Amino acid sequence: MILSFTDDYSFGLLIGFVCILIAFFAMMKETDDLHRLLLTDVIEIIALVIIALIGTDLAEALILPGLVVGIAEILALAEIYIEKEGLVKTPENFLKIEIMDTAPGILSAIMLIYGVILSGFTGGAVAGLGLLFYFLCRGSQKKTQILETISGYAWVCWVVAFIVFMTIPQYWFFAVMLAGTGIFAKVAAKMTIVGTMRGNRDV
Amino acid sequence: MTPEFLLGLGILIIGVIAAAFPDPKTYLNRLINLEISGFGLLLVMLSYNETLALLTFIAVTAITTFVLVRVLERRAIN
């Protein structure tokens, strides 16, 4: 391929490589860990620019998981940094108001039922929010085990649905329903995990 | 080459230089300079009509800033 630097893609790629050189040079010279963490974000942006230069739907489809991986990476590195430098601080008291003792049962039951009716991704989000609220208010000793079980069953639903799609496509409706149930359970379980992050012993 | 594409690449390279070699070399300064290169990326996405990616990037940048500011704050206290 001959790079002419007159069309968008080649020119953008040239600028992108110059940026990469600058960013990695700065990264190489840097010794402070937190500065390095900030520079990781710069490198992520440059990588996204290079993907965006493709300029098609494919680029868009690649940028979205790139963003998710980027935020996950920043979160993980930030936590590791805090742990490494010993900057962990435990909050003195958790939020404690009366409504958190009375409301969770009925409210999460309503949201769970409505979520099951909605089904799929949206239903999973609604039901997960209800469960999140429940776990947030009631604490979560020994209850996290069941979330892992649900998550496992959701994977099984997905895999079975995929195999049905591939091998016996005439039963596609069954596979769609199975996949819908799977994503419902998966999203709900994942959102519930957020509710268990209240500094209990088992989390 | 559309104007926003050229502007985006220009801002990107300026932002990367600013984030790589910030003048008073503080964490906060570098974090603010990060936003410049972010804007470059946004303009490049805009020139290619990548709406969904653009909106998601805005949301993710906000979360990233929260996470990084949290680390900086912990570091400043201790």
Side-chain angles (χ1 to χ4, degrees):
Chain A
M1 192 182 80
I2 301 160
L3 293 177
S4 59
F5 304 123
T6 47
D7 60 324
D8 275 13
Y9 184 68
S10 308
F11 183 64
L13 216 55
L14 177 73
I15 300 286
F17 276 119
V18 170
C19 290
I20 288 173
L21 284 179
I22 295 168
F24 274 97
F25 181 70
M27 188 78 140
M28 201 177 70
K29 297 254 287 181
E30 198 55 68
T31 48
D32 190 293
D33 280 344
L34 192 46
H35 273 305
R36 280 188 170 171
L37 183 62
L38 293 171
L39 279 173
T40 318
D41 213 22
V42 181
I43 290 165
E44 188 200 325
I45 288 173
I46 302 167
L48 288 173
V49 167
I50 288 172
I51 301 171
L53 284 172
I54 301 168
T56 55
D57 285 349
L58 176 69
E60 208 160 14
L62 288 173
I63 286 170
L64 294 180
L67 286 170
V68 175
V69 171
I71 184 78
E73 174 210 319
I74 294 280
L75 262 170
L77 287 177
E79 282 305 315
I80 289 170
Y81 180 79
I82 287 173
E83 198 72 39
K84 201 186 102 195
E85 300 285 313
L87 305 178
V88 189
K89 64 172 179 195
T90 46
E92 296 91 29
N93 59 329
F94 290 113
L95 180 69
K96 203 73 204 166
I97 45 179
E98 195 189 339
I99 196 164
M100 291 176 78
D101 296 324
T102 51
I106 180 89
L107 208 60
S108 55
I110 291 170
M111 284 182 87
L112 195 61
I113 291 165
Y114 184 50
V116 170
I117 293 167
L118 283 175
S119 83
F121 196 87
T122 328
V126 171
L129 212 59
L131 288 172
L132 189 157
F133 185 61
Y134 185 82
F135 278 98
L136 198 67
C137 299
R138 287 284 161 89
S140 59
Q141 271 78 24
K142 293 177 191 168
K143 288 174 191 160
T144 39
Q145 199 79 45
I146 197 162
L147 293 177
E148 289 164 21
T149 318
I150 293 171
S151 223
Y153 279 118
W155 271 117
V156 171
C157 280
W158 264 347
V159 171
V160 171
F162 185 76
I163 290 169
V164 169
F165 272 132
M166 287 296 136
T167 52
I168 33 174
Q170 64 266 34
Y171 293 107
W172 61 271
F173 191 69
F174 171 67
V176 167
M177 284 296 147
L178 213 57
T181 315
I183 200 162
F184 168 80
K186 195 83 192 166
V187 173
K190 283 277 175 284
M191 285 194 73
T192 314
I193 286 174
V194 179
T196 61
M197 291 162 65
R198 269 193 84 197
N200 290 309
R201 283 192 305 277
D202 56 339
V203 181
Chain B
M1 286 189 198
T2 52
E4 60 260 34
F5 180 75
L6 287 175
L7 195 63
L9 288 181
I11 291 176
L12 176 79
I13 201 159
I14 291 169
V16 168
I17 291 168
F21 311 105
D23 190 8
K25 211 179 128 193
T26 57
Y27 299 120
L28 203 59
N29 200 1
R30 194 161 244 172
L31 184 64
I32 293 166
N33 287 346
L34 262 175
E35 304 296 319
I36 305 173
S37 48
F39 249 91
L41 171 59
L42 282 179
L43 280 170
V44 170
M45 285 174 179
L46 188 71
S47 72
Y48 284 118
N49 294 326
E50 291 164 345
T51 323
L52 210 58
L54 199 150
L55 292 175
T56 319
F57 180 72
I58 292 172
V60 166
T61 313
I63 301 170
T64 311
T65 311
F66 279 140
V67 172
L68 290 175
V69 166
R70 177 167 159 267
V71 180
L72 296 191
E73 180 237 342
R74 291 278 173 90
R75 167 117 189 172
I77 286 172
N78 293 54

